[in-house]
Amino acid sequence: MSPILDQTRTNEIFHYNLLFSKYGKKDILYGTAGFRTNANQLDHVMFRMGILAVLYANYTKKVAGIMITASHNPECDNGVKIIGNNGEMLEENWESYATILANCKDEEIVNSIDMIMSDFIIRLGNSLVYLAHDTRKSCPVLLEACILGINAMGGKYQNYGLLTTPQLHFMVYTANSDSDISYYPAERDYFDKLKTAFFNFSQDCPDPPYRILVGVDTANGVGALKMERLQILLRENIKYLEFTVVNMGLNGNATGDIGYIKHGRTTNSNNHTLNDEIENNNEMGTIQSTQSGLNLNCGADYVKVNMKPPTGLSSVHDFRKESPFFEDQNVHYASFDGDADRIVFYYFDKNHEFNLLDGDKIAALIAYYIKDTLKICELAPNDFDLGVVQTAYANGSSTLYIRDNLNMKVYFTPTGVKHLHHKAAQLDVGIYFEANGHGTVLYSKKFVQKIAELSKDGTKSSKINTSARNMMNFINLTNQSVGDALSDLLLVEAILLKYGWNITHWNSMYQDLPNRLMKIKINDRTLVKTSPDETICLSPPALQEAIDSLVSRYPKGRAFLRPSGTEDVVRIYAEAESQEKADDLAHSISVLAFDMAAGVGDRPLRPSK
Ligand code: G16
């Protein structure tokens, strides 16, 4: 998320006509606009991000995007993601300017703007900023502040209302791939692309003997509306795959079984059809859902961190028990986060044990499919630079599997999708996933061109033509601008369909090393410094030595800690040969860090099963 916001600032009222008269268009008269709200006192920051986006759009001469969301964090948190000109994340050098602008005093704003304009040699002209937001109640107020900032700089904006973060990335990417920036891509384009690619892919796959039921936990967030729409679109053509959406965040029911399918129709407990919501949200509209319980006891982060299912799944279980169509092995689940840019999968095995398939397993599955396809297409392994990009959080077993079984290169970057994305973009096929479920695949022009040629090459066997066509559809199904829960969901389902695998089969690709993720609050997390790859703690002094000594006592032990970039916490990751030992190790390091780095509040408790 960018920039790093100073949440401790007191509220400010900013007189935007000062900026307007300096930078905005002089022919429109605006009064003084002040805004005083309690949206975590971040409205002034959103105002400045509106300004920044206009400057950035003027610099790149492309559409910029602002997504108002605090993603996987609780409802009370607020944040903003700025989207760069390729539909990707804002460049790093701009992030530091965004941070300066976000945190400067009111009286320094003009100077900060002038500095940015001079450093990037910006001349203000036409600029367009796309806006969207998640379902937080604070969004309308923050959006208003953002629009004021854009207006103050004489910029134009297009408000898309409720979108997932990856959808807004897609809009910016689409607009910027077209030279005419007055064209507004529609949400329909996004859904058409996914629907068509998935349908075409499935045409070349065998029909599964049973219908497959996928329970999707949308974290009571914006993903609910979008998943609902995707489900309706897919249902037109795909008969054997049924999605059941839970934790839709409507009716103020945070944790109940809110949405479920009966006779192929989706209702909530009020018999209010969700189609109404979708129709109201007609592409550009802004509706604020009456959601609550966003990311609360549900969603990708909750499931990954706690290694347990979210609340709200019992409707899927009920359905499964009642229906003769579904067999256990054909039921699995997925969880999105609050802005639907992450996804993890899971299922219950015969012993009703919970099994998690996180970003590492998704990366391994995609790597397997791509490797297999290249082999069928008779492309030499060295023709293309293929690789998987991971972070230190990647499970050790996943790295070994990708390296040793798939013979693919594995690269490591620091945490943060921007780093992984950047590395993946240097490869012909760059598969990147963080263990938390955030990731996608990037394909080079050279690779796409070759696959397109092979799909139509009459001198090749029909097997090669089909596999290459399959790969082309897979490429079209991928959101290459950013990790996208909806797109990733379909990528996974497409591969499972192709091989006729159920989730148990997928899970058996390799066995995760037992691991545990914990977080602690300390007085000042900025005092914790790590090596660039985040595996060694450089400060406070002596902490790493103590960690090393603990780790050495655990067979197959590995552990590290790092300050979070999105929450006021330090995260601790540990792996070991058993779950109990991984829990022990993570807990011991948490206590160590708590004691050595001025922990705040209660000492960390040992994780419960
Ligand atoms: C964001 C970043 C991810 C990162 C996550 C947690 O996720 O995009 O790359 O892994 O925060 O970061 P940290 O451990 O530094 O708090 P999201 O879903 O909020 O975009």
Side-chain angles (χ1 to χ4, degrees):
M1 208 169 299
S2 61
I4 295 166
L5 306 177
D6 177 2
Q7 302 208 10
T8 60
R9 283 188 63 123
T10 53
N11 199 9
E12 293 169 82
I13 299 171
F14 189 78
H15 298 283
Y16 100 122
N17 62 351
L18 169 75
L19 289 185
F20 189 81
S21 61
K22 187 162 160 82
Y23 304 106
K25 288 190 185 130
K26 312 273 189 308
D27 53 342
I28 310 169
L29 203 66
Y30 276 79
T32 302
F35 35 92
R36 296 147 287 251
T37 68
N38 59 0
N40 265 12
Q41 300 166 342
L42 282 181
D43 47 353
H44 69 285
V45 177
M46 294 300 165
F47 176 78
R48 292 153 189 227
M49 290 307 99
I51 293 171
L52 184 96
V54 172
L55 292 172
Y56 181 72
N58 270 290
Y59 170 68
T60 58
K61 308 218 177 328
K62 296 272 180 74
V63 176
I66 298 183
M67 179 73 196
I68 301 174
T69 180
S71 193
H72 62 283
N73 294 299
E75 159 100 45
C76 57
D77 284 5
N78 291 295
V80 61
K81 294 179 178 180
I82 298 176
I83 300 170
N85 69 76
N86 292 325
E88 294 164 1
M89 283 140 285
L90 191 69
E91 291 95 316
E92 226 165 338
N93 57 341
W94 272 85
E95 268 190 23
S96 43
Y97 286 94
T99 305
I100 292 171
L101 196 55
N103 293 306
C104 69
K105 294 188 180 127
D106 279 355
E107 54 273 25
E108 292 164 1
I109 283 202
V110 171
N111 282 346
S112 301
I113 294 173
D114 285 345
M115 172 187 71
I116 296 172
M117 288 180 59
S118 131
D119 285 5
F120 288 98
I121 318 174
I122 294 169
R123 288 190 54 209
L124 292 177
N126 288 332
S127 62
L128 183 54
V129 182
Y130 286 177
L131 303 170
H133 58 83
D134 69 15
T135 52
R136 284 177 166 80
K137 292 187 185 80
S138 54
C139 285
V141 144
L142 298 176
L143 180 71
E144 202 185 314
C146 206
I147 290 172
L148 279 171
I150 295 170
N151 283 340
M153 299 300 291
K156 290 203 171 78
Y157 66 90
Q158 169 64 41
N159 177 19
Y160 280 92
L162 280 172
L163 287 184
T164 68
T165 296
Q167 281 185 310
L168 186 63
H169 279 263
F170 172 86
M171 302 297 175
V172 174
Y173 172 82
T174 308
N176 288 340
S177 316
D178 196 318
S179 52
D180 174 11
I181 67 160
S182 62
Y183 157 71
Y184 296 133
E187 197 181 3
R188 161 178 356 108
D189 301 332
Y190 171 87
F191 283 112
D192 280 352
K193 186 169 180 285
L194 288 189
K195 177 189 148 180
T196 309
F198 188 75
F199 177 68
N200 291 343
F201 187 100
S202 70
Q203 290 296 90
D204 290 323
C205 297
D207 273 1
Y210 296 103
R211 279 206 284 164
I212 297 157
L213 176 64
V214 188
V216 184
D217 152 35
T218 47
N220 295 319
V222 64
L225 291 171
K226 309 309 176 186
M227 187 59 218
E228 181 67 13
R229 178 155 174 186
L230 181 67
Q231 175 190 35
I232 291 165
L233 290 171
L234 289 179
R235 207 182 281 145
E236 288 167 12
N237 293 315
I238 312 272
K239 302 295 169 214
Y240 41 77
L241 186 62
E242 187 72 62
F243 294 103
T244 302
V245 189
V246 299
N247 294 330
M248 302 190 75
L250 300 173
N251 292 339
N253 184 348
T255 55
D257 302 330
I258 298 160
Y260 58 97
I261 295 174
K262 269 186 180 161
H263 310 300
R265 190 85 181 124
T266 302
T267 62
N268 61 20
S269 46
N270 227 358
N271 287 334
H272 160 76
T273 50
L274 288 157
N275 294 352
D276 299 343
E277 291 286 345
I278 289 159
E279 278 153 20
N280 291 343
N281 187 22
N282 52 352
E283 309 293 350
M284 307 287 181
T286 301
I287 58 161
Q288 194 62 28
S289 91
T290 55
Q291 64 76 225
S292 74
L294 180 65
N295 299 316
L296 184 66
N297 300 328
C298 62
D301 203 55
Y302 173 85
V303 172
K304 168 72 181 156
V305 172
N306 296 289
M307 289 194 267
K308 60 182 182 193
T311 52
L313 273 192
S314 60
S315 58
V316 185
H317 284 301
D318 290 349
F319 190 78
R320 188 182 69 180
K321 275 183 215 141
E322 282 159 21
S323 169
F325 290 112
F326 301 123
E327 302 233 326
D328 281 14
Q329 58 176 346
N330 296 312
V331 180
H332 57 261
Y333 308 94
S335 282
F336 297 177
D337 71 339
D339 63 337
D341 60 3
R342 295 193 204 175
I343 187 170
V344 294
F345 291 80
Y346 42 96
Y347 69 102
F348 298 95
D349 61 25
K350 285 192 191 111
N351 305 320
H352 217 76
E353 286 292 321
F354 175 77
N355 290 268
L356 177 70
L357 292 89
D358 60 9
D360 301 336
K361 274 265 156 78
I362 301 172
L365 181 73
I366 295 176
Y368 177 94
Y369 163 67
I370 294 177
K371 201 71 208 262
D372 185 41
T373 302
L374 294 200
K375 196 170 154 210
I376 296 170
C377 289
E378 295 171 359
L379 293 167
N382 296 335
D383 284 355
F384 296 103
D385 201 358
L386 311 184
V388 175
V389 188
Q390 301 190 313
T391 71
Y393 288 113
N395 194 280
S397 300
S398 73
T399 312
L400 288 181
Y401 174 81
I402 294 163
R403 253 184 208 155
D404 300 348
N405 293 51
L406 300 181
N407 291 318
M408 268 172 100
K409 285 186 206 142
V410 180
Y411 301 89
F412 284 91
T413 71
T415 302
V417 274
K418 64 182 176 207
H419 301 297
L420 290 95
H421 190 99
H422 181 70
K423 180 65 211 169
Q426 295 163 5
L427 308 172
D428 285 315
V429 180
I431 302 162
Y432 74 84
F433 271 87
E434 292 186 302
N436 63 23
H438 203 150
T440 187
V441 192
L442 305 182
Y443 314 92
S444 70
K445 278 196 183 124
K446 174 181 150 194
F447 179 77
V448 177
Q449 220 162 19
K450 183 70 193 169
I451 295 294
E453 272 166 33
L454 279 181
S455 68
K456 295 181 200 128
D457 187 344
T459 66
K460 302 284 180 191
S461 68
S462 68
K463 199 174 169 192
I464 292 182
N465 293 157
T466 310
S467 283
R469 187 172 62 228
N470 220 225
M471 186 73 232
M472 272 314 289
N473 290 322
F474 194 81
I475 293 169
N476 289 332
L477 194 55
T478 313
N479 184 342
Q480 291 192 60
S481 54
V482 78
D484 180 339
L486 286 143
S487 157
D488 290 342
L489 173 66
L490 295 185
L491 291 177
V492 164
E493 298 303 335
I495 299 175
L496 296 181
L497 199 62
K498 179 184 160 55
Y499 293 120
W501 289 357
N502 60 30
I503 195 164
T504 316
H505 191 118
W506 169 25
N507 197 27
S508 67
M509 282 181 124
Y510 63 85
Q511 204 181 353
D512 270 326
L513 269 173
N515 61 89
R516 177 62 69 184
L517 197 56
M518 288 184 71
K519 56 183 175 187
I520 56 162
K521 228 176 156 92
I522 62 169
N523 193 28
D524 180 1
R525 77 185 198 280
T526 62
L527 297 182
V528 175
K529 306 257 184 264
T530 69
S531 57
D533 67 0
E534 300 181 321
T535 57
I536 297 167
C537 177
L538 305 173
S539 159
L543 183 51
Q544 184 59 43
E545 214 176 296
I547 293 174
D548 288 343
S549 150
L550 269 174
V551 171
S552 67
R553 292 183 221 154
Y554 291 81
K556 296 195 181 167
R558 180 172 77 91
F560 65 91
L561 55 72
R562 54 173 283 277
S564 160
T566 62
E567 284 176 68
D568 192 16
V569 296
V570 168
R571 299 195 198 283
I572 294 104
Y573 176 84
E575 276 176 9
E577 64 178 357
S578 71
Q579 190 59 54
E580 207 187 338
K581 289 188 174 143
D583 289 352
D584 263 355
L585 182 56
H587 178 237
S588 309
I589 294 176
S590 302
V591 172
L592 200 66
F594 187 88
D595 292 342
M596 291 177 75
V600 172
D602 296 336
R603 295 183 95 214
L605 295 174
R606 196 179 186 284
S608 57
K609 218 194 156 200

